[in-house]
Structure formats: C-alpha cells, structure tokens
Amino acid sequence: MKEASRDRLKAFLTLLPSIILVAVFVYGFIGNTIWISMTDWGGTGSMALEPQKNFIGLENYVDLFNGFLSAGFRQDLVNAVYYSVMLLAGAIGLGMFIAILLDQKPKGEDVLRTIFLYPMSLSFIVSGTIWRWLLAPQGGVNVLPTYFGFDALDFQWTSSTKAILEFNWQNILQILIYIAAFILIMVGLFVLKDDPQKAVKRWLGPGVVVGAFAWLGGSLLPQALFMEEMHGFNLATLGIIIATVWQYAGYTMALYLAGFNGISQDLRDAAMLDGASNTDYYRHVAIPMLKPITISAVIILSHISLKMFDIIFAMTGPDNAQTGHPALNMYMTTFRANDFARGAAIAIVLFLVAGTFIVPYVIGQYKQRRRG
Amino acid sequence: MKQSLIKLCLVFAAVMLLAVPQVSQAKELKGDLEIFSWWAGDEGPALQALISIYKKQNPNVNVIDATVTGGSGVNAKAVLKTRMLGGEPPDSFQVHAGQELIGTWVKSDRMEDLTPLFKEQGWMDVFPEGLVKLIGTDKGIWSVPVNIHRSNVMWYIPANLKKWGVEAPKSWDDFLKIAPKLQKEGIVPLALAQNWTANHLWESVALASLGADNWDALWSGKLKFNSPEVIKAWELFGKVLQYTNKDAASLSWQQATDMVIDGRAAFNIMGDWAAGYMVTTKKMAPGKDFGWAASPDTTGEFMFLADSFGLPKGAPHRDNAIAWLKVLGSKEGSDTFNPLKGSISARKDTDLSKYNGYLQSAAKDFGKDRVVASLAHGAAANETFMGGFAQVMEMFLKTKNAKATAMACQQLADKAQIGK
C-alpha cells in the first residue's frame, strides 16, 4: 500500500512540470486569446507598451460573420471548407488507390514507395514555390504541349477569378438548415434497411420537416446581411488543392500500406477461397478493417487543412481573396492591420472549427475504450 | 566540480558587471548596432554601401544587419511588431515614411523625437519643407528619409508604341480610346500584377480622377470616401481594369514590367523602382530603350513614398543608432545609396550627375511638382486602413461594385480614424 502511494507520488511529480507547462502554454494561452478576442485591442496606439484594452463582448465575432467589412473573412471561411473537403477526398482517395496498387507487390515496390512518400519531406513553402512556377499562367504546365508542337494551354490554375457553386451569404441560416435536413435524410436512408421504424421516426421524418420548413419559410428566416454577398468555390483554389494533395497523398498511402500489410495473408486467402475477386476483397474486407486508419488520416489531414498558410502564401501571396484562408487572414489582420482583437477572434473561430472535427473523434474513442 | 562551476559563474557575473558601465561610458562608439530592414535582394547592395560608410566612420562598432526578406516589408513588419511588443527593439528600423510610422509607432509613443538631430545637422533647410511636414506631427519629426520614390509613373517602350501607332496617353480618356484598338491586336493595354499593384494602380487613377486637393482632403478627413467624387474614381478604375491582363493575380510586379518589355503589353503603371529594374537588371537605357510619363491626368503631381529610419525608445545602443541616422541623412550617404537603389535623394542639394537619365528627370519633377502622399506605400494612411484596404480592393476586383466599395472604404476610414 505504502509502496503504491509512493509510486503514485513519484509519477505525479514526474508529470508535474509538463502538467504546469501545458496548463500555462496551451490552455492558459487559449484562454488569453479568448479574452483578447473579446476586447477592442487594435487600431492606433495598439502597439503602446501598455495598450488599452476594453471588454466589448462578442462584438468582434458578430462583426466577422455579418459585418460589412468582413466579406473577405467569410470568403476565406468558405474557401477553408472547400480546402478541407477537397484535401480529404483527394489525399485519402489517391493515397488509398496508390496503396492498393502497391499492395499487389509490383516489381520495385520499395523504390516506388519512397518516390510517393518523398513529397511529404518537403516543406510547404518549398513545394508551394515549385507549384507556383508549374502552374504559372504563362509557363510550366501550360507550355508543356508546345514541346510536342501543340498550342499552349490557357488554364488559369491559381489566378482564375471564376467561382462555381455560389451561394448568397445573406441566406446562410437557410442553407445551414438545408444541410442539416440533408444529413438527417441521408442518415435515415442509411438506417432504413436495419430498422425502418426508427429510421422514419428519428431521421427521415424530422429531416423532411426541417427541409420543408427551410424551403417554405425561408423568407421568414432572419437574414445575415442587408445585401447580397456571393461566395463559392473559387476555381483559383484548384491549383493549391492539387499541390496539397500531391504533398499528402504519399502520407496516406504510407498509412494504408502499413495497414494492408498488417492484414494477415490467411484472411486474404480465405476470402479468395470463398470466391471473392480482388475488388471484393478490398471493398468488403481490407478497407473496412482499416477504418481506424481512415479516421486518423481524416483527423490529421483536416487539421492540416485548417492550418494551411505557407503553401497559399507561397503560391498566390497574402492578398488574394480567391485563394484566401482564415489562417492567412488572421496573420494579416494581426500583424499588418494591427487589429489584435479581431485576429484573436479569427483564431478562436478556427480553433472551434478544428474542434468540430476532433471532438467527435475523441468522444468516439472514449466510448470505444469504455465498451472494450 | 560543482563548486568550480559556481565560482566560474560568479567571476563571469563580475566581469559582466564591470564591462557594462565601461561600454556606456566610452566616448568612442563601440559595441553593436542592429539595423532592421527588409532590403534584401535587389536593394541589398545599396544598404551594404551605407553600412560601409558607417563602418569607415565608426570602425569599432559591430554592425548587425537584421534583414527580413519580403516585398514592401510584409514579413519584416510582423517580426518587428513581435520584437517591439516583447520589449526588444532593434537600434534602428526601416519604415515607410509618413502615416505608416506615425499611425503605428508614434501614436503608441514608441519613437524618439528627432527634431534636435534635424536642427543640429541643419536638415531643416536641406529637406524640402513639404516633406518634413509629411514625416512629422505637431509633436516632432519622427524619421530620417533616405530616399524618395515616385508612384505615379507610366512605363512604355517607345519603339513598340511606334510599331503599334499609338502614343503614351496624357489622360485616361485617351487611354480608354486607344485601349480597345490594342486589345484587338492581342496586346494587353495595361499590365497588372498581384493585389498590391492593383492598390498601386488605384492610387494613380484616383489621384487623376479626384485631383490633388481632393486627394489631400480625403486623407485629412475632409472628403468622405463615399462621396460622389470618390465613387466616380472607383468607376473609372473599373473601366481601366477591363484592359488589364486576366492572370494578374499570379504575377509579380517584375513580371508585369516584363510584359511591357517583351511587347506583350503596352503600358504599366508602377513606382520608379521599375526604372531601377530595367536599368540594372535588364541593362536598358533610360529614354532610349524605355520611356516614361506621369500616369494619365497626373502631370504636375508627384505621388511620393519614402523609406526612412527611426529611433525607437529604449534602443539598446542609442548613440550608435544616432550615428547611423547621421550617415543616412548626410549628403554622402544619400548620394551613395540612391543611385544604387534607383531612387532620388530627399535632399535639395543632391549631386545630380551621379544619377541616370530617369532619376534626373524625377528629381527635377520633385523640385517643382505638387507632392502628394502615396496610399499603397504607407505615406497617406495608417496600417489599420491599409490592412483593410487590401481586402476592400479584393472585394472590388470581384464585384466591380463602385458604390459598395466606396461605402466599405468609409467604414474602414471610420475604424482607422482617418483624419483624426
């Protein structure tokens, strides 16, 4: 008994420095940022030795989401969503595809693996500069066909000003409700086969009701802005998405390849014996078994996509609404416009968005452990 | 073992204690001088020339060249801010003269008044009066300008214009007349690059549309940004933008200038560092290989910007920094630096024979033209306005809505307390 408590004390003392450091430098600073985001620290005189800070509550956040001057931030936020979705889909899809190909044990697998993994060892600022040259409108990829006697291409990879899938920020509430209804209905359809009654009661029914409400009562909903403000998927972000996918596909490939190699050969043989084709094996056996890997890839890539900064800075520069990102906006607001409070508010918004990715994962893990 | 370590520490501390007062008491300048700037790349040699003058005068000072790269100081300014907030200022730092310095560091009470230095060195008479007014407030003078750049210049290649049968436009009306013709022949009428060059173009267009008096009124808060005059300026800007290249966002300013040199574009509006680029890097002769004119409708107006150095309060080596500022303001320093940097001297008694053809003409204009402050380069407005203006510009490039943009500008001006 005595021995045990002494061990415990030792363990506690060993951990104490890191507990204190984490408490101060992680949670303390998060708290401080939240506090700053609720002040009016900014503008002239903000760099004084003892700058004046007054508490103004959530004003900075309100301004970010429906202030007249914050259109840039809202576009950046929309961009960030597209960056995240496209990076996840691209890097995981491509990575998994390459991993499956390599899992067939082709000749020179080791060399290929190194080649595919190599981009990850570059820093974003380096690969960003390379891709900037490759995707330059009057050079790189676009002049490639001229070497074979064709006309140069005219793709505006990173400088296009066109946008697709545009929506009006004014109606953001309505759109969010639509999305909620869509998710409810999709989950309902998913559950329908196993438990029709629960599916209709819990998911499909509410989904249809919510969707109908948004459709019929859309004009009753309060509008976020007094004027139209269109945001959409800017085609100029494509160039940056290509570069990021290129950089991270190798990483997911390595994750999946490790997973595939971990599945015992017996299992594969058994599946083959049961008459499964190669496609069936991956679809029904291998990939479902690698769910934990998929989840960790999603977590890692989604937070990378939320931190994207250097690659955008290198490829399209600091002021480019078409390819902007909240992280860049935060830096510019804080250190160029000297608006520390607003910069802090943007940081907290990013922090919360990152939380929505990670918290469900953490809860899932926790539940699993309890069950197990 | 342990004891000897403690002893060693004690001896070391004693030496430190003895050494510190000696350094500060010494008459001959010693110790370090940290110069913080963003002059890397093309501008590096010009800075080095200044440093070597300083080294000759003060051989015992160890000069630390703390350069942070990045166009118009975008990275350097962020580093500087974290250092100043952390209470670790460099001895002297580069900053755009005018409101960018005043709105940030002077309003925060972080700079020393340099009026005594100006009086002692006789700079009150050497620098033009209008310039001294723009770098000072009623409380003092805040920086030593090392150079003067002109922002409203239109560049072209005379041989190309002859080939196409056009002349350099004197007004935007002229430009809008010849631009469609050029466009039909597959020539970009006006080369443009990434976002900040759009700000740069805007200030030339706005100055042309508003006139110098209204331009000054805008920055002193007497003219509202959402007034009809300013909306008209935005509308003109929108018309001009139709005749720029579509891939602007991914080009650097050098690439936009290259378009003019290669004959892919007819004109480019850029500051006179473009002349430095064409003369030094491209080995072109001013007046012969390339031509210039004041940007349309701004003849007789000189939109200026200047790099300058100030003295932060609490600079660790104040005496060394003052000696540095003396070099910067001196005739020798100024005439060594500027021909290399491709700018003109801020002094009235400059030795014009050291400068090339373009710079001589610019110096002549600076002497007689109406001097107005540049927005895009920090002379007209403080950093809060400039930071927001970059976003407002993006909004305009996307929507082309002159009225909404003008309203956004006014909101921004209120927030940045322009004219207060």
Side-chain angles (χ1 to χ4, degrees), chain A residues 29-84:
Chain A
F29 279 30
I30 290 174
N32 191 40
T33 310
I34 293 174
W35 153 243
I36 289 173
S37 75
M38 293 185 181
T39 65
D40 61 353
W41 185 15
T44 51
S46 54
M47 310 299 290
L49 269 178
E50 294 292 333
Q52 252 198 339
K53 297 177 212 170
N54 303 310
F55 181 78
I56 55 167
L58 294 175
E59 219 170 275
N60 282 318
Y61 295 93
V62 172
D63 186 62
L64 281 179
F65 284 96
N66 61 13
F68 184 53
L69 275 178
S70 311
F73 168 76
R74 293 188 284 268
Q75 178 62 58
D76 289 351
L77 204 61
V78 173
N79 281 352
V81 171
Y82 283 115
Y83 279 135
S84 298

Side-chain angles (χ1 to χ4, degrees), chain A residues 2-329:
Chain A
K2 216 177 164 195
E3 188 78 0
S5 71
R6 241 174 73 184
D7 271 355
R8 215 174 246 189
L9 188 70
K10 264 190 207 160
F12 178 72
L13 284 179
T14 320
L15 284 177
L16 192 64
S18 63
I19 289 174
I20 293 173
L21 289 177
V22 168
V24 172
F25 289 101
V26 178
Y27 297 100
F29 279 30
I30 290 174
N32 191 40
T33 310
I34 293 174
W35 153 243
I36 289 173
S37 75
M38 293 185 181
T39 65
D40 61 353
W41 185 15
T44 51
S46 54
M47 310 299 290
L49 269 178
E50 294 292 333
Q52 252 198 339
K53 297 177 212 170
N54 303 310
F55 181 78
I56 55 167
L58 294 175
E59 219 170 275
N60 282 318
Y61 295 93
V62 172
D63 186 62
L64 281 179
F65 284 96
N66 61 13
F68 184 53
L69 275 178
S70 311
F73 168 76
R74 293 188 284 268
Q75 178 62 58
D76 289 351
L77 204 61
V78 173
N79 281 352
V81 171
Y82 283 115
Y83 279 135
S84 298
V85 172
M86 302 286 272
L87 173 63
L88 285 178
I92 290 180
L94 190 65
M96 191 190 280
F97 181 68
I98 298 173
I100 289 173
L101 290 185
L102 287 184
D103 196 32
Q104 312 307 312
K105 308 278 182 288
K107 244 187 210 164
E109 190 209 332
D110 299 348
V111 179
L112 287 174
R113 203 164 48 195
T114 317
I115 289 173
F116 286 126
L117 194 56
Y118 190 69
M120 218 195 111
S121 68
L122 289 177
S123 84
F124 257 149
I125 201 94
V126 175
S127 58
T129 310
I130 296 169
W131 278 97
R132 183 201 178 112
W133 291 332
L134 280 177
L135 301 180
Q138 291 148 9
V141 179
N142 279 354
V143 294
L144 214 54
T146 58
Y147 291 109
F148 306 100
F150 299 104
D151 284 343
L153 296 171
D154 193 28
F155 281 120
Q156 310 268 317
W157 292 105
T158 52
S159 53
S160 166
T161 49
K162 289 201 190 73
I164 51 170
L165 299 174
E166 286 199 317
F167 66 91
N168 193 346
W169 186 270
Q170 211 177 11
N171 304 328
I172 185 72
L173 206 60
Q174 194 181 7
I175 293 163
L176 286 177
I177 295 174
Y178 272 132
I179 292 174
F182 178 74
I183 292 172
L184 285 174
I185 291 171
M186 284 315 282
V187 172
L189 290 177
F190 197 69
V191 182
L192 196 61
K193 225 170 27 183
D194 300 336
D195 189 351
Q197 210 185 349
K198 194 172 142 198
V200 172
K201 236 193 199 161
R202 258 217 207 148
W203 303 104
L204 281 176
V208 170
V209 170
V210 168
F213 167 71
W215 187 46
L216 294 171
S219 55
L220 297 176
L221 288 169
Q223 298 197 319
L225 295 171
F226 66 88
M227 56 175 266
E228 275 193 9
E229 185 181 296
M230 302 305 286
H231 295 302
F233 175 58
N234 290 311
L235 294 180
T237 53
L238 269 180
I240 290 164
I241 290 166
I242 290 172
T244 358
V245 167
W246 173 79
Q247 182 140 10
Y248 275 97
Y251 172 67
T252 42
M253 174 213 73
L255 285 181
Y256 277 114
L257 203 56
F260 285 142
N261 285 339
I263 298 173
S264 84
Q265 189 63 34
D266 295 346
L267 205 63
R268 186 176 195 144
D269 291 342
M272 295 297 171
L273 215 60
D274 283 345
S277 69
N278 232 342
T279 333
D280 289 335
Y281 165 68
Y282 282 109
R283 212 178 128 206
H284 296 293
V285 180
I287 294 173
M289 278 184 76
L290 298 187
K291 208 169 134 200
I293 289 183
T294 309
I295 290 174
S296 50
V298 167
I299 298 291
I300 290 166
L301 290 178
S302 61
H303 93 87
I304 284 173
S305 75
L306 288 172
K307 291 194 306 198
M308 277 213 308
F309 180 94
D310 29 12
I311 196 161
I312 302 174
F313 203 102
M315 286 182 76
T316 55
D319 292 305
N320 199 324
Q322 263 76 37
T323 57
H325 190 283
L328 265 172
N329 195 336

Side-chain angles (χ1 to χ4, degrees), chain B residues 192 201 236-245 396-397 400:
Chain B
L192 190 68
L201 176 61
L236 177 62
F237 182 62
K239 275 187 213 153
V240 172
L241 275 184
Q242 292 172 356
Y243 299 109
T244 57
N245 43 315
F396 182 78
L397 292 178
K400 303 271 159 58

Side-chain angles (χ1 to χ4, degrees), chain B residues 324-355:
Chain B
W324 166 248
L325 293 178
K326 281 180 190 165
V327 171
L328 295 178
S330 70
K331 189 160 183 250
E332 188 198 0
S334 177
D335 282 342
T336 310
F337 176 82
N338 284 304
L340 286 170
K341 168 84 162 65
S343 49
I344 59 174
S345 168
R347 291 171 67 104
K348 286 191 274 191
D349 59 350
T350 173
D351 180 6
L352 276 178
S353 65
K354 288 190 175 169
Y355 295 83

